């Protein structure tokens, strides 16, 4: 059996930080103690010194689109590339998405699971629901039995067939989800606001116009809409990739009305502004919802610090530079950017520069929080004895510059090119096995496991 002692790292969980030793035995955490004596170790134990390093539960990216087939093309990072770049980012679990083929949710789920077999890190799935059908409760039951704990709903993308636009039908899906204990997550942009603006638009369709064509008001209105449905049913709702101050204000209003709203945001809405959409590289920064203003960044940063945001995830949806630059018309540029690998260093750098976010909060936002919300805890998102030995060893002092040459996405670019960050992942363990160490990738395709949500 594989025995590893991680010695004298700064072990961080959501409660506290302390210098501790962690003994891994096989795929599980066997002991956590301030000092584990060498004399007590099994004979073949490998000792890994972690002096000066942080030891975190494996990071979870709860919003990824690896190998997304969309708009007649496919994203750059498939499951092999996605697993590899995730390992470099200290990410040991992702929660990706199964599309809805509108015939059978279970078949859609099985299809996605089959595609994901090459994964080298663990993964769970959110199930898209793009169409109401009269027997949908049975379908939802079947995907729950198959291990899915969350649904993904869109309030936009009518043009590509993702929108459930009848309120009663949407409410009925929410009600079924509540009865079955499934979490409903929603991409919030009001389709009507977007189509009204678009119908009277006299401007150009440059990348920068993307921000005007899909304004923050659309996000706020959709949040209010789905929040009210959840409120009427007395159930929670999870808002994916919150991008704006107006959206945040809508969340606050719902919470004041007693609705339980969970919020996810992404590094790009925290640290990038729509000015990135100007200039020749503008298409590289097109994603939906669009980038907003510095004021929006600040509002979301403040919400992060205050505990108003529960999860940071990336919405990793990477197209190559060439794919992105095929068009400079914001209606046809493939939407989405890479981000899984940069997430932890970016959030850690914000924590250092603002002085307002602790390592424990980072662990909560990037690991424990999503693990709990998506039914993966405590096997994932914790360093408790008996759970999966998913461990990220992180040098909090290492300064480096993000660039296409220092990260591993097959997209060939980073949206954070030139960002100086502090904090680097040194080693990533998945279930007791080193999958990245000293800049060498050791992941095994096919070794990733599908995680059944236990909501
Ligand atoms: O532009 C984005 N975010 N692409 C990924 C799909 C989505 O809407 O989340
Ligand atoms: Zn989305
Ligand atoms: Zn997404």
């Amino acid at each position: 059996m594989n025995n590893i002692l991680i010695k004298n790292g700064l072990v961080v969980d959501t409660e506290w930080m302390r210098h501790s030793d962690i003994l891994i035995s096989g795929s599980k955490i066997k002991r956590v103690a301030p000092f584990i004596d060498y004399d007590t170790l099994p004979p073949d134990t490998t000792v890994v010194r972690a002096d000066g390093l942080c030891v975190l539960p494996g990071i979870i990216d709860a919003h990824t689109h690896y190998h997304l087939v969309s708009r007649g093309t496919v994203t750059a990072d498939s499951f092999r590339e996605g697993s590899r770049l995730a390992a470099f980012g200290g990410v040991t679990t992702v929660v990706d998405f199964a599309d809805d083929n509108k015939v059978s949710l279970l078949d859609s789920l099985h299809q996605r699971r089959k595609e994901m077999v090459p994964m080298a890190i663990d993964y769970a799935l959110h199930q898209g629901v793009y169409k109401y059908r009269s027997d949908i409760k049975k379908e939802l039951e079947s995907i729950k039995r198959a291990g899915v704990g969350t649904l993904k709903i869109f309030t936009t993308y009518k043009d590509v067939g993702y929108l459930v636009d009848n309120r009663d039908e949407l409410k009925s899906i929410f009600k079924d989800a509540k009865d079955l204990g499934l979490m409903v997550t929603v991409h919030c942009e009001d389709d009507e606001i977007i189509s009204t603006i678009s119908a009277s638009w006299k401007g150009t369709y440059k990348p920068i116009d993307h921000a005007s064509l899909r304004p923050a008001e659309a996000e706020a209105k959709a949040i209010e809409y789905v929040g009210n449905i959840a409120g009427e049913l007395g159930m929670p709702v999870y808002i994916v990739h919150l991008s704006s101050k107006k959206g945040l204000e809508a969340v606050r209003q719902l919470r004041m009305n007693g609705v339980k709203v969970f919020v996810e945001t992404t590094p790009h809405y925290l640290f990038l502004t729509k000015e990135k959409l100007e200039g020749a590289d503008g298409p590289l920064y097109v994603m939906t919802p669009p980038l907003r203003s510095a004021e929006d960044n600040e509002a979301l940063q403040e919400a992060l610090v205050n505990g108003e945001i529960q999860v940071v995830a990336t919405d990793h949806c990477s197209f190559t530079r060439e794919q992105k630059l095929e068009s400079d018309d914001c209606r046809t540029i493939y939407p989405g950017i890479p981000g899984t690998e940069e997430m932890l260093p970016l959030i850690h750098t914000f924590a250092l520069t603002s002085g307002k976010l602790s390592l424990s909060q980072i662990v909560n936002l990037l690991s424990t929080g999503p693990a709990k919300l998506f039914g993966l805890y405590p096997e994932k998102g914790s360093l408790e004895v008996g759970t999966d030995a998913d461990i990220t060893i992180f040098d909090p002092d290492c300064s480096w510059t993000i660039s296409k040459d220092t990260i591993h996405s097959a997209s060939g670019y980073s949206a954070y090119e030139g960002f100086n960050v502090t904090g680097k992942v040194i080693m990533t363990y998945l279930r007791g096995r080193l999958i990245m160490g000293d800049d060498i990738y050791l992941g095994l395709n096919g070794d990733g496991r599908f995680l059944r949500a236990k909501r």
Side-chain angles (χ1 to χ4, degrees):
M1 167 117 55
N2 169 44
N3 293 301
I4 300 164
L5 179 70
I6 299 174
K7 188 100 194 115
N8 201 36
L10 184 67
V11 174
V12 186
D13 62 24
T14 57
E15 306 300 317
W16 62 330
M17 306 185 284
R18 69 280 185 203
H19 282 96
S20 274
D21 296 348
I22 297 185
L23 179 62
I24 299 171
S25 197
S27 62
K28 301 287 179 189
I29 294 175
K30 173 97 184 208
R31 272 185 78 191
V32 183
F35 183 83
I36 299 178
D37 202 320
Y38 289 134
D39 294 345
T40 65
L41 296 175
D44 59 344
T45 305
T46 306
V47 177
V48 175
R49 298 256 14 152
D51 310 77
L53 303 177
C54 297
V55 179
L56 318 176
I59 300 301
I60 297 174
D61 187 347
H63 188 149
T64 61
H65 303 273
Y66 296 161
H67 190 85
L68 179 74
V69 179
S70 168
R71 297 168 170 87
T73 190
V74 61
T75 50
D77 294 313
S78 193
F79 305 113
R80 289 175 170 80
E81 294 86 357
S83 299
R84 181 166 179 269
L85 66 88
F88 280 103
V91 172
T92 51
T93 295
V94 294
V95 192
D96 208 280
F97 293 82
D99 264 327
D100 175 4
N101 69 11
K102 300 190 182 176
V103 179
S104 158
L105 290 178
L106 191 61
D107 286 352
S108 308
L109 174 66
H110 284 156
Q111 170 66 25
R112 188 63 173 166
R113 279 202 55 189
K114 240 191 263 164
E115 289 168 8
M116 292 188 81
V117 165
M119 285 291 287
I121 60 165
D122 289 351
Y123 54 98
L125 282 166
H126 307 291
Q127 175 65 58
V129 180
Y130 307 155
K131 184 183 166 214
Y132 174 79
R133 39 267 211 190
S134 54
D135 60 348
I136 195 146
K137 191 164 187 181
K138 276 209 191 87
E139 288 207 54
L140 296 175
E141 249 166 342
S142 67
I143 57 153
K144 187 185 171 171
R145 269 199 304 277
V148 165
T150 32
L151 308 184
K152 169 76 177 294
I153 302 286
F154 287 88
T155 60
T156 185
Y157 292 149
K158 192 174 187 165
D159 53 337
V160 280
Y162 289 177
L163 174 68
V164 179
D165 61 356
N166 178 300
R167 191 182 195 274
D168 291 337
E169 290 179 353
L170 186 60
K171 189 169 175 182
S172 173
I173 296 170
F174 269 61
K175 168 81 169 60
D176 292 344
K178 180 190 177 192
D179 293 347
L180 295 166
L182 295 165
M183 170 82 89
V184 179
T185 73
V186 192
H187 171 129
C188 288
E189 287 183 292
D190 183 73
D191 212 60
E192 215 175 283
I193 292 189
I194 292 167
S195 46
T196 306
I197 293 174
S198 165
S200 61
W201 186 251
K202 298 276 185 292
T204 56
Y205 292 96
K206 297 274 168 227
I208 185 64
D209 299 312
H210 189 52
S212 310
L213 286 159
R214 307 187 80 98
E217 290 75 17
E219 180 169 71
K221 185 164 175 221
I223 289 173
E224 193 189 330
Y225 174 68
V226 296
N228 284 336
I229 292 177
E232 287 162 23
L233 294 166
M235 65 186 286
V237 64
Y238 178 103
I239 310 299
V240 303
H241 52 47
L242 183 74
S243 66
S244 66
K245 183 176 177 182
K246 286 201 167 81
L248 176 65
E249 281 160 359
V251 169
R252 287 180 178 147
Q253 187 57 53
L254 287 166
R255 286 178 176 160
M256 290 218 298
N257 297 345
V259 185
K260 190 158 199 169
V261 188
F262 297 112
V263 173
E264 165 198 293
T265 193
T266 69
H268 47 278
Y269 300 125
L270 288 163
F271 308 126
L272 300 179
T273 60
K274 63 184 174 197
E275 282 69 35
K276 288 278 185 200
L277 292 162
E278 286 162 354
D281 274 352
L284 301 182
Y285 299 90
V286 168
M287 82 289 289
T288 304
L291 294 176
R292 314 279 188 199
S293 67
E295 194 188 346
D296 293 284
N297 287 172
E298 280 157 28
L300 294 176
Q301 289 173 12
E302 192 188 307
L304 193 71
V305 168
N306 292 342
E308 293 177 277
I309 289 172
Q310 285 64 52
V311 172
V312 176
T314 69
D315 198 9
H316 184 110
C317 181
S318 63
F319 295 94
T320 61
R321 256 190 94 82
E322 292 69 30
Q323 281 173 306
K324 293 289 277 188
L325 297 176
E326 263 172 38
S327 162
D328 74 345
D329 181 325
C330 64
R331 294 166 296 178
T332 51
I333 296 164
Y334 300 123
I337 61 166
T340 300
E341 184 174 355
E342 298 98 313
M343 175 166 69
L344 175 59
L346 285 167
I347 298 295
H348 182 257
T349 303
F350 168 69
L352 285 183
T353 52
S354 69
K356 291 181 181 166
L357 201 66
S358 69
L359 282 169
S360 287
Q361 277 174 292
I362 295 179
V363 164
N364 202 26
L365 289 162
L366 272 58
S367 181
T368 311
K372 286 183 175 168
L373 279 168
F374 298 123
L376 309 176
Y377 187 84
E379 280 74 19
K380 305 299 181 188
S382 91
L383 294 172
E384 281 175 32
V385 170
T387 64
D388 284 354
D390 291 357
I391 295 176
T392 298
I393 303 187
F394 183 73
D395 181 348
D397 299 317
C398 175
S399 294
W400 59 289
T401 304
I402 297 178
S403 90
K404 65 178 182 5
D405 304 316
T406 52
I407 61 152
H408 301 83
S409 167
S411 64
Y413 79 100
S414 170
Y416 309 96
E417 182 75 32
F419 272 49
N420 295 316
V421 288
T422 306
K424 195 166 197 333
V425 176
I426 304 294
M427 283 177 239
T428 307
Y429 286 90
L430 173 71
R431 285 181 270 107
R433 203 180 153 271
L434 188 68
I435 58 167
M436 194 286 292
D438 287 337
D439 275 335
I440 298 168
Y441 179 59
L442 299 163
L444 296 174
N445 294 318
D447 206 35
R449 288 191 188 154
F450 172 66
L451 306 171
R452 298 174 61 88
K454 292 174 302 188
R455 284 186 50 78

